[in-house]
Amino acid sequence: MRSILGFMSARKLAGFLLIAAMVMITACGDGGSGGSNAAASGGTDSGSGSSKEQTLIIGMSAANIPVPDTYPTEGYEGMRFVGYQLYDALVNWDLKQGDKPAELVPGLAESWETSTTDPTMWTFHLRQNVTFHDGTPFNADALIFAFDRIMNPKSEYYNAQLAGTSASAFRYVESYTKVDDSTVTIKTKGPYSFLLYDLSGLLIGSPDAIKKSGADYVNHPVGTGPFKFDSMKQGQELTMVKNENYWNGAPKLDKIVLRPIS
């Protein structure tokens, strides 16, 4: 009986440590408003004095390094360790705390509302003065580009693989329209209260970077997230570095290193 109880306690402890680790990586640095997916301090120090570099090395329970496109591979390991570090969505998860389930908070959309006469029509007001890691601006055109890439087969930059991966999340989206540079409307196929949850998975990459790199974009991913892509060795390691200009406050970590351990 004691061995059984000990085994159960060990499992509970392992679960607690996993949750604590996720809170550590996703907690935000000071500054900014709203929720964030930035990483918190922790990991290892390098250097000396006040210039110590804060690096967190993560052994991922994944068979390979997630492909760092706007819908990363390796299941939710890819989304939480890569997707939410390199990119933002219109609606983010509030990961600043770990004592209760995360709630949805404004991301690249500062606010939103539904029509008083048509519950299928949503209006999103986009965050201004946000730039991608390559210095290009985030705006309504970038959001439309992100939707076209997974929902518009006629688009030059339509990606069938990403479309197939994300199809179930956006099956209730009927249309999306640019109103102006900072406003976009989304119409659903019927009243649909889960749209905000679905949009938390629509990560937005730089249109300029995607057009420039083409099929090689996965080796040069560019988002607006708290970390920037640094380097990748497939099967071995992916390194991301702090985005000093993150709109919601720079992360406390300087670097994250991912290593797959299947």
Side-chain angles (χ1 to χ4, degrees):
M1 178 63 73
R2 288 182 179 178
S3 62
I4 294 174
L5 292 175
F7 175 72
M8 292 177 65
S9 297
R11 291 190 63 183
K12 289 182 179 179
L13 177 60
F16 173 79
L17 291 176
L18 176 60
I19 294 172
M22 281 309 305
V23 172
M24 176 178 289
I25 185 175
T26 54
C28 175
D30 296 334
S33 60
S36 170
N37 301 306
S41 60
T44 61
D45 290 340
S46 61
S48 60
S50 60
S51 61
K52 286 184 178 180
E53 183 179 77
Q54 298 292 321
T55 299
L56 178 63
I57 301 173
I58 301 172
M60 303 178 63
S61 56
N64 203 349
I65 289 295
V67 173
D69 208 327
T70 52
Y71 209 101
T73 58
E74 303 301 323
Y76 211 76
E77 290 287 270
M79 185 66 83
R80 62 180 173 171
F81 287 129
V82 176
Y84 290 136
Q85 312 308 320
L86 295 178
Y87 304 98
D88 284 302
L90 280 183
V91 184
N92 284 345
W93 291 99
D94 179 7
L95 301 176
K96 288 183 177 181
Q97 52 72 43
D99 58 355
K100 62 180 180 180
E103 298 177 349
L104 294 176
V105 292
L108 292 180
E110 286 187 311
S111 62
W112 51 82
E113 69 267 353
T114 54
S115 169
T116 56
T117 58
D118 182 0
T120 68
M121 183 64 69
W122 296 66
T123 299
F124 290 85
H125 304 283
L126 307 185
R127 194 175 298 278
Q128 300 186 50
N129 302 315
V130 174
T131 58
F132 290 100
H133 301 152
D134 59 4
T136 58
F138 165 74
N139 51 30
D141 290 327
L143 176 57
I144 297 299
F145 183 91
F147 268 117
D148 279 349
R149 199 163 177 241
I150 60 173
M151 296 191 68
N152 183 8
K154 295 181 180 180
S155 169
E156 178 183 355
Y157 299 98
Y158 176 75
N159 187 308
Q161 182 176 351
L162 292 181
T165 305
S166 59
S168 62
F170 300 104
R171 63 192 183 279
Y172 295 116
V173 173
E174 180 176 299
S175 63
Y176 44 91
T177 306
K178 173 184 175 180
V179 177
D180 55 42
D181 284 345
S182 59
T183 312
V184 168
T185 58
I186 298 175
K187 183 174 177 60
T188 56
K189 296 176 181 178
Y192 183 59
S193 60
F194 288 97
L195 179 64
L196 296 179
Y197 291 90
D198 291 345
L199 289 175
S200 69
L202 179 65
L203 304 181
I204 302 171
S206 162
D208 282 25
I210 294 169
K211 293 174 183 178
K212 178 180 179 180
S213 298
D216 196 43
Y217 172 72
V218 294
N219 292 310
H220 309 280
V222 177
T224 62
F227 286 89
K228 300 185 293 185
F229 176 82
D230 182 63
S231 63
M232 178 172 62
K233 295 179 181 178
Q234 270 300 334
Q236 300 180 51
E237 185 175 281
L238 185 150
T239 302
M240 297 173 284
V241 296
K242 174 192 298 190
N243 177 8
E244 295 280 4
N245 299 314
Y246 186 49
W247 59 266
N248 201 21
K252 296 178 181 178
L253 284 176
D254 296 299
K255 183 184 296 184
I256 295 177
V257 179
L258 303 178
R259 293 174 182 166
I261 302 177
S262 60

